[in-house]
Amino acid sequence: MSRRSLIATLTAGAGAVAVGATPAQARENAQEPEASRAPLRADGHTTRLVLLGTAGGPPWWPNSNREGISSALVVGDRYYVIDAGDGVGRQLRKARLGSWQNDLGGPLDKLAGVFLTHLHSDHIVDLNNLLTEGLSNGIPRADLPIPLIGPGNRGALPPLFGPDPTPPVVAPENPTPGTREMWEAMVRAYATDFNDRARDSRKPVPDQFVDARDIVLPSWATDDPNGAPAPDMAPVPVYEDDHIRVTGTLVDHAPVFPALAYRFDTEDGSVVFSGDTAPCDNLVRLARDADVLVHEVIDRTWPESMFPEPRTPAQEASLHHLLNAHTTVEDVGPVAERAGVRTLVLSHLVPGNRPDSVWREARHGFSGRLLIGHDLDEVGIGERRR
Ligand SMILES: [Zn+2]
């Protein structure tokens, strides 16, 4: 592969024009293989966070045990899924959620909602898996439909980054669908299967088991999708049932827009999910005094190694374009400190194959408890109840 080869959508972040690392560099960058340890448990807690997958970015990271980004919040007898990255279905079983031991009746029998932070593929790629194969893994249930909640239509194409030529537009009739339209498109794509299951096995049809909704944001906040950074805003209500109250805010993951962070308030405490973002005042406001902040993080030596010094102005621009959409190991601790959260959980690790020693540096500037997230880790919220 030529050193000057183009890597499109380099990571979870901004699509960037990059100089590719050679295979030898990539091996060097991977350093020691990522260590695995037994997942942390939170037995006895009726409310608990479960990290289903902790890798960020579309790459299938070599030397990594991490599945794609996805988390669950268990509240009493039910759970909510936040993002649906690669592997979420199998991880739900491994996390022993719902009726996980049943061949057919679980684990989705206790799934009470799906929340998407933004529509990058690493956050949604297994949404179709969850909600199509889900028909044989616990859906249908008594209290259908399941809310599927996420950002609305972007409203405009992102600006072109880097030099011409301008790429062709995909689906020009609606090039930036939001959550509801994306789900409707998935339903059409899987219509053969859905119709077969409905007519042959009497399974419910999508409208009966999914209620897809776009989050409504103030119009002044969404008027200019290309006006990064996201405007300052107070958190807005997103969803409420008798177990949780969810609020959300815009975060800085340009050019992705809207990109959201969510806060879940429960009887036992609060958990905030950053989604993908650079350090962001909106997030600090949303996470104020939360029990747990699940935050994304990037090891900046990884993109830096793809643009080794000396850098041309174009390479420097590409590097910053990427870093400006994420939060570095050095910056994540101070974000958590400003918010006053008690526990900072690192997830959505980019790259997904660094040893814990790299991520442990995030303790600098944070006086609370730091947890370097691994797949299937559990974190209890509030008191042990049983
Ligand atoms: Zn991501």
Side-chain angles (χ1 to χ4, degrees):
M1 180 197 287
S2 143
R3 285 285 309 262
R4 300 204 65 82
S5 65
L6 195 80
I7 301 177
T9 53
L10 184 62
T11 79
V17 178
V19 177
T22 63
Q25 273 176 324
R27 273 196 300 278
E28 194 179 307
N29 295 343
Q31 302 172 351
E32 56 193 282
E34 182 215 6
S36 58
R37 54 159 171 75
L40 304 177
R41 298 294 306 270
D43 295 339
H45 285 271
T46 53
T47 301
R48 61 189 200 276
L49 165 72
V50 184
L51 303 180
L52 298 170
T54 55
W60 302 321
W61 303 106
N63 300 317
S64 173
N65 300 318
R66 299 178 186 279
E67 298 288 344
I69 182 69
S70 183
S71 310
L73 183 64
V74 180
V75 187
D77 63 349
R78 61 180 70 179
Y79 65 89
Y80 305 83
V81 165
I82 299 90
D83 287 330
D86 193 9
V88 61
R90 285 184 303 280
Q91 293 299 92
L92 286 168
R93 263 195 206 283
K94 288 181 189 166
R96 294 183 269 192
L97 294 175
S99 300
W100 62 276
Q101 287 164 304
N102 295 358
D103 283 351
L104 290 168
L108 299 185
D109 54 325
K110 300 298 182 188
L111 174 66
V114 179
F115 296 80
L116 305 176
T117 58
H118 63 291
L119 303 187
H120 257 156
S121 58
D122 58 319
H123 295 249
I124 60 171
V125 73
D126 263 2
L127 179 68
N128 62 334
N129 185 355
L130 201 63
L131 297 176
T132 56
E133 310 237 284
L135 284 172
S136 299
N137 290 282
I139 299 171
R141 323 147 333 150
D143 53 343
L144 297 173
I146 299 159
L148 165 64
I149 296 172
N153 193 314
R154 192 180 196 283
L157 284 166
L160 183 66
F161 179 74
D164 281 338
T166 301
V169 175
V170 176
E173 70 288 352
N174 184 11
T176 58
T179 300
R180 185 181 53 78
E181 293 166 325
M182 178 182 71
W183 169 243
E184 288 166 358
M186 278 185 189
V187 169
R188 282 194 293 277
Y190 283 85
T192 298
D193 179 76
F194 283 131
N195 281 318
D196 174 81
R197 308 273 178 204
R199 300 175 84 84
D200 191 55
S201 310
R202 298 290 159 169
K203 297 287 187 186
V205 297
D207 282 353
Q208 294 170 322
F209 67 89
V210 172
D211 175 14
R213 309 177 205 169
D214 294 343
I215 291 171
V216 179
L217 292 161
S219 60
W220 57 262
T222 54
D223 272 353
D224 183 6
N226 293 332
D232 271 354
M233 63 178 285
V236 296
V238 165
Y239 176 78
E240 188 164 0
D241 63 22
D242 54 357
H243 283 60
I244 59 166
R245 190 168 64 88
V246 186
T247 46
T249 196
L250 286 169
V251 289
D252 288 329
H253 190 41
V256 173
F257 187 91
L260 296 153
Y262 294 122
R263 177 182 180 124
F264 289 68
D265 283 288
T266 74
E267 208 174 89
D268 287 317
S270 47
V271 182
V272 176
F273 298 89
S274 71
D276 285 13
T277 183
C280 174
D281 289 345
N282 284 348
L283 174 70
V284 170
R285 209 170 287 128
L286 182 77
R288 177 73 58 210
D289 298 329
D291 292 287
V292 175
L293 169 61
V294 183
H295 205 295
E296 71 121 276
V297 67
I298 187 170
D299 171 15
R300 65 180 305 143
T301 67
W302 182 68
E304 282 172 354
S305 73
M306 297 196 191
F307 305 98
E309 296 193 76
R311 298 183 189 107
T312 64
Q315 290 168 344
E316 196 71 38
S318 291
L319 175 62
H320 284 104
H321 192 61
L322 176 65
L323 286 173
N324 286 344
H326 293 285
T327 300
T328 61
V329 177
E330 293 76 20
D331 286 341
V332 70
V335 167
E337 186 72 17
R338 280 173 63 207
V341 303
R342 278 172 276 290
T343 298
L344 168 62
V345 176
L346 301 183
S347 189
H348 193 282
L349 308 179
V350 176
N353 53 12
R354 288 294 189 267
D356 278 6
S357 55
V358 167
W359 310 117
R360 209 166 290 129
E361 293 303 306
R363 70 186 185 279
H364 296 297
F366 178 54
S367 56
R369 172 189 175 214
L370 172 69
L371 171 64
I372 298 154
H374 285 257
D375 290 15
L376 305 179
D377 276 349
E378 300 181 357
V379 179
I381 313 299
E383 299 296 310
R384 264 197 183 81
R385 296 276 188 83
R386 53 187 162 78

